[in-house]
Structures are given as structure tokens and as C-alpha cells.
Amino acid sequence: MSFTPDDKIQKIAEAYSLDACDFLRNNFRVKLDWSDASIQQIESALDTFHRQGQSAKPTEEQIMRFAKMFGSYVGEVYRKNHEATWGLVEMNGATFPGLKAELGGTLFWPWGRVRDRLVDGTENNVWHYYSQLPKKPGTSEPPKKGWKFWK
């Protein structure tokens, strides 16, 4: 497995993450704040989209549009709060956008995780995924009690 930093991927992810913020604000009145805890809002939205997708049968292109948007938000929250670099991850002959955490060098690919969450459901919970990534000491936020997606 290898990683190549790529500023172009970061710019794309920044734009997609802003699209995610706009989408949730405009369609669900949810305001994302770039905190670790906001990933719970992403998880809740993805749960809703997964359940609706069971009957709507979205195309792979539609799924990937959401995966890039919400995966970019997840990646950008991590990058801003815990220091990581966007780039290309190469694994098993395939290359895809992902991040490398400064702390420990962990490689992760939130676009893929969000895609899997949309398709497969709760077994690919994005909040649990995010919670397992290495965090800078003293920056991790506890989950909010009684948190709800629909406010």
C-alpha cells in the first residue's frame, strides 16, 4: 500500500464537502459545523439515504455523487481537526482518493466508506469508522447525548 499526496484531490474534496453542507442545509435544515461530533449528523443522513435507497434503487453514479460529497466532508473534518493530507492511495493494483493521517500515518478512504454505508447499511457506520481514526490528544469530542438528525 502506498500514498502520494495530491493538492488537486484536496481542492476537489474541499468543494464536495461544501456541497454536502449546502445539501443538508437546503434539504433538511441541518447545519454542519466541521466538528468531530458533526460526523454523527452525516451518519444519520446516510442511514436515511440507505433506507430510502432500498426502494428507490439509485444508480451507481448517484451513489458515488453522495459518497464523494459526504465522504469529502468526513475527510475534511478529519484533516482540519487532526491533520491529514489528501492524495492517492494505491492498494492491490487499484488507486483511489484518500487521506494519510499525520498521527501514525494511517491511510483511509472516506469516499469508499460512505459508498459502502449507502449500499450495505449500518455495518459500515461512518461515525464508528471516524471514531476509530487516530485523534490529536485533547481534541476528541464526546458524543452528544440525545442527538437527533431531524431537528
Side-chain angles (χ1 to χ4, degrees), residues 13-135:
E14 288 172 346
Y16 274 130
S17 67
L18 293 172
D19 290 345
C21 293
D22 291 344
F23 182 86
L24 288 183
R25 184 184 66 246
N26 295 339
N27 294 290
F28 298 99
R29 295 184 185 174
V30 171
K31 185 175 185 224
L32 298 171
D33 65 5
W34 305 96
S35 68
D36 289 344
S38 71
I39 303 304
Q40 292 176 73
Q41 293 171 291
I42 298 299
E43 171 56 32
S44 186
L46 296 175
D47 185 57
T48 299
F49 300 147
H50 169 74
R51 284 186 280 112
Q52 291 174 355
Q54 299 302 295
S55 59
K57 304 290 186 211
T59 66
E60 185 63 24
E61 184 179 315
Q62 291 169 318
I63 291 168
M64 282 309 299
R65 178 176 168 254
F66 279 84
K68 289 174 183 177
M69 250 189 343
F70 293 108
S72 291
Y73 181 83
V74 171
E76 279 296 284
V77 168
Y78 187 87
R79 184 184 70 82
K80 291 175 182 209
N81 295 333
H82 304 288
E83 300 178 4
T85 303
W86 280 98
L88 295 170
V89 176
E90 185 178 330
M91 184 172 73
N92 300 329
T95 303
F96 43 88
L99 294 106
K100 181 177 183 178
E102 296 299 319
L103 185 64
T106 300
L107 298 178
F108 59 104
W109 34 98
W111 290 6
R113 182 55 171 234
V114 169
R115 185 223 171 263
D116 292 347
R117 174 63 177 95
L118 289 167
V119 172
D120 299 329
T122 58
E123 66 205 48
N124 289 299
N125 183 297
V126 171
W127 170 244
H128 295 158
Y129 171 78
Y130 187 87
S131 298
Q132 298 303 309
L133 295 171
K135 307 288 190 301

